[in-house]
Amino acid sequence: MAGGNEVNVNESRMVVPLNTFVLISNFKIAYNMLRRPDGSFDRHLAEFLDRKVQANASPVNGVVSFDHILDRQTNLLARIYCPAPDPADVELPQLVAIYELQKAPSPNPFPVIIFFHGGSFAHSTSSSAIYDTLCRRLVTLCGGAVVISIDYRRSPEYRFPCAYDDGWTALKWASCQPWLRSGKDAKLRVFLAGDSSGGNIAHHVAVRAVHSGINISGNILLNPLFGGNKRTESELKLDGKYFVALQDRDWYWRAFLPEGADRDHPACNPFGPNGVELEGLPFPKTLLVVASLDLTQDWQLAYAEGLKKAGHEVQLLYREQATIGFYFLPNTEHYHEVMKEIKSFVRSDL
Amino acid sequence: MVDSSYGQESSANKSISTSPEIDGLLAGVGYAIRPSDLPHVAERLEKLDSAIIAAAAAGLPPEFLCSDAVHYNPSDLAAWVDSMSMLTSLSSPPIHPAPAPWPVQIYAPAPLSTPTVDLLAPEDAGINLVHLLMSCADSIHRDDHPSASKLIHEMQILLPRVGTAFGIGKVAAYFIDALDRRLRPRPSPPAEDEILYHYFYESSPYLRFAHLTANQAILESFNGLDRVHVIDLNLKHGLQWPALIQALALRPGGPPFIRLTGFGPPEICEVGRRLADFARSVKVPFAFTRLDEIQPNLLRVEPGETVAVNSVLQLHQFLSDPGSPGPIDSVLSWVKALRPRIVTVVEQEADHNRPGFLDRFTEALFYYSTVFDSLESAAAGAGPEVYLQKEICNIVCCDGEERVERHEPLASWRARFGRAGLWPVPHGSSAFRQASMLLTLSSGEGYSIEEVEGCLTLSWHGRAVISASAWHCGDGVDAPPLAGNIFFNGYSGSDRRE
């Protein structure tokens, strides 16, 4: 545990706007109450405290959303966000979902973003307000993307590989939907995106995709969650200083990874001693966003190196003085510049 | 710094629109907090963080890590942080006792009937059926009965192709039947109300959720009181009360004297007798009175009695067409005049009281398709559906005084209670936990409980179906304490940890 914590607590307050500080500190305090030392999790209290919003098929800022079951067997739910349809085509909000899901492939290309929310595999859902807001913004940002936010199964109740299985199910579902295809070639132009554990999931789903012949246009990883047995310099230096403590990270890995596994498990450490080879596979280009005040950054940078060594394209955005969660509130340069890069990344091949 | 005008404004909890006084970005992610409160809250969060770290270093969990702490209103961040601070005994008492002014819509306004699931199965026949239903409803809306009849005929032909065993076909069948009954009224077969009610009670968590959350709020409000009077505006079969009687029997210090007044027809005397027998068996002093719906003036409140008023899926029957006067206002005045410590209300989270037929029909179609879908997961058979069929027929076929299923959403009720001088009592994490455990133990996956501004809703696949709220009358009657550690064990057994 790092020393001099009182000073450091004030430091984190200095580097983010006040409302961001309040938001992320609130999560930190609340999450502390949910993790139990024996590895169990107060799921009921977690759901009570999580601020959620319902889907809304009436246009808000030009975006509509609806919840949809992707797979009846696992009850895999997703929240789908679309640009609001022309009122001439759909008179009632209740009919929006039917209308969208029935559409034929569009001649005008549009991106589809399958989004995996963060929360260290344990927290949040696709209906969490922080993620609902973010996904809505992505629709508009990317010029009318369809965003599909996956309500994957969470740990500790569901360990590896459940979240990855759910991501894979979602991708397979998307690849069978005519309404998600666009352009002259009626192609599914799909990006896998996620923050924190969601970024980790996006990577692993992409790996499955390349082994199965589904083409991914790109991966967007925001502060993705990776780790390893070794304690890195950034972990030691930043432990406890900017909202995140190393022992909390450890707790979440213990809750997600199989019993008895350590942090060199390939889920946690994809380019570590147990990692899979990605060389020669059509792995998608990656936009990787790393915050300089995130204690896991060394693992994220190692991830970028691993992709490059395997011959894959990585666009690294290293944000100086950014903390985790900067993308929740549009109140910093970090937010606006990263969003701009995401927009270019997604629209560049359309 | 306390701004006393804020105190008055916020305690009124009037229907203010999204308040310009709260931080807009945080509102967008679910938190209501004034910008002026941010520094104070930030400081409290820092202190809490230090307290956690210090306690961990000393090998002890801070007191507030104890899972027995009860949380309320997580969206009111300032109040939540203050209550956490008090639990850790951090120096001063809360500086801001008054909550931030509640924006009525922290979230974007959502239409209630966003369809889910089977309605969106890709079979064209099912989609056609939906469009035909809409067209038929539109014809009726325009008083074009010949077209409506034709469409009904078409749908009846299409229906077997879609299949009525599940999904859109099943709910459509009930709505087509209701449309037909509207055009050609005929008597319904007599329904075994009690049996259907029991089917519905057992095959889905809605009623048990209603009873559990209401009972938890009542139990908390009765803390420390010796003479309590529960007034049930619609006793029906009395299924709610054994659990409350039992919980009161088990409370430390012994049970209070309980009076239960139930409104309903003479048959409910039998229910009252059974409840009295049960109370006797658990040694709870108990008395039951029946009142007719039309004679509330005969209600006696004894001096020294604390009153709880309870209404489950029933208050909407006092509503009328929007804009025209109805019994609801006098009912709420009467409730308020009883000076209740708590008023527990559970209502369908639906907008079935719109004046336009097409609107009402559409809302109902998608609402009941959600509910039917949830029943399907329980393989419940036709019983609960027939129970709901009465509601569907009432909404589709009836008008004026005959239409009693005038469901309105929580937002409307909030405004109405506010105007009547009733202020919200938030359901806390203990009620939430009990309700969640109810779902885990007894219901299919797909249900969830949400906490929104102190009220709890039970949802199916993200779509709210039923919402539970609690109110008090202000006016010098103390608000029920937000008491922790009072657990309602009616459904979860003795072990609070899952």
Side-chain angles (χ1 to χ4, degrees), chain A residues 9-10 13 19 26 28 33 36 42 44-45 48 51-54 56 69 72 75 94 98 129 133, chain B residues 23 28 31 46 49 75 80 107 109 111 113 115 117-118 120 373 432-433 436-437 445 450-451 461 498:
Chain A
V9 162
N10 288 333
R13 189 164 158 182
N19 48 9
N26 160 61
K28 181 180 180 190
M33 283 181 236
R36 299 199 193 101
D42 193 342
H44 298 310
L45 185 57
F48 178 80
R51 306 291 76 211
K52 301 184 198 179
V53 289
Q54 290 204 51
N56 191 351
I69 298 268
R72 267 295 200 180
N75 264 328
Q94 292 88 343
I98 297 179
T133 301
Chain B
D23 182 286
Y31 294 99
E46 283 177 334
D49 194 45
S75 284
W80 183 75
Y107 313 121
S113 301
V117 210
D118 272 336
L120 311 177
D373 192 48
F432 184 95
R433 186 187 300 278
S436 298
M437 283 161 66
E445 278 198 41
E450 320 290 344
E451 186 276 351
H461 287 148
E498 312 83 63

Side-chain angles (χ1 to χ4, degrees), chain B residues 286-429:
Chain B
F286 177 87
F288 174 77
T289 312
R290 179 189 87 84
L291 281 184
D292 261 335
E293 294 129 24
I294 53 173
Q295 294 173 310
N297 311 325
L298 296 186
L299 181 76
R300 259 178 27 249
V301 176
E302 306 288 338
E305 253 180 10
T306 302
V307 172
V309 178
N310 182 81
S311 165
V312 170
L313 302 182
Q314 190 258 341
L315 214 54
H316 54 260
Q317 309 210 352
F318 297 116
L319 295 175
S320 55
D321 287 330
S324 44
I328 186 66
D329 293 318
S330 48
V331 168
L332 291 181
S333 301
W334 170 76
V335 167
K336 187 166 161 155
L338 295 172
R339 312 186 86 222
R341 190 154 166 94
I342 194 152
V343 181
T344 47
V345 177
V346 182
E347 279 289 319
Q348 290 91 338
E349 190 60 16
D351 201 357
H352 297 152
N353 198 25
R354 301 227 193 144
F357 180 79
L358 180 58
D359 282 341
R360 215 163 56 236
F361 182 87
T362 310
E363 290 282 332
L365 176 63
F366 289 93
Y367 176 78
Y368 286 101
S369 72
T370 301
V371 182
F372 274 47
D373 192 48
S374 72
L375 293 174
E376 229 155 81
S377 74
E385 292 163 22
V386 177
Y387 175 82
L388 294 173
Q389 180 185 25
K390 279 186 352 190
E391 290 181 15
I392 293 171
C393 280
N394 188 265
I395 295 168
V396 173
C397 304
C398 300
D399 283 312
E401 275 181 22
E402 273 183 13
R403 181 149 51 87
V404 295
E405 298 298 343
R406 295 179 177 269
H407 312 143
E408 284 191 359
L410 188 52
S412 301
W413 286 110
R414 251 193 251 280
R416 191 171 279 111
F417 288 137
R419 288 193 296 274
L422 292 165
W423 314 134
V425 176
H427 283 295
S429 56

Side-chain angles (χ1 to χ4, degrees), chain A residues 165-221:
Chain A
D165 289 345
D166 289 345
W168 176 235
T169 300
L171 180 59
K172 278 190 301 183
W173 171 85
S175 66
C176 298
Q177 302 297 310
W179 70 284
L180 290 178
R181 291 170 178 270
S182 62
K184 287 203 248 332
D185 46 358
K187 211 177 77 139
L188 173 68
R189 297 164 144 74
V190 65
F191 293 80
L192 300 178
D195 70 311
S196 162
S197 50
N200 176 294
I201 295 170
H203 165 79
H204 287 287
V205 173
V207 171
R208 268 198 226 189
V210 300
H211 280 113
S212 313
I214 295 186
N215 177 254
I216 309 284
S217 302
N219 274 4
I220 303 166
L221 308 194

Side-chain angles (χ1 to χ4, degrees), chain A residues 72 74-75 158, chain B residues 202-206 208 373-379 435-449 458-461:
Chain A
R72 267 295 200 180
T74 52
N75 264 328
Y158 297 98
Chain B
E202 290 303 330
S203 62
S204 61
Y206 301 115
R208 283 171 285 148
D373 192 48
S374 72
L375 293 174
E376 229 155 81
S377 74
S436 298
M437 283 161 66
L438 166 73
L439 295 185
T440 314
L441 292 172
S442 66
S443 304
E445 278 198 41
Y447 289 104
S448 60
I449 314 271
L458 175 56
S459 303
W460 171 255
H461 287 148

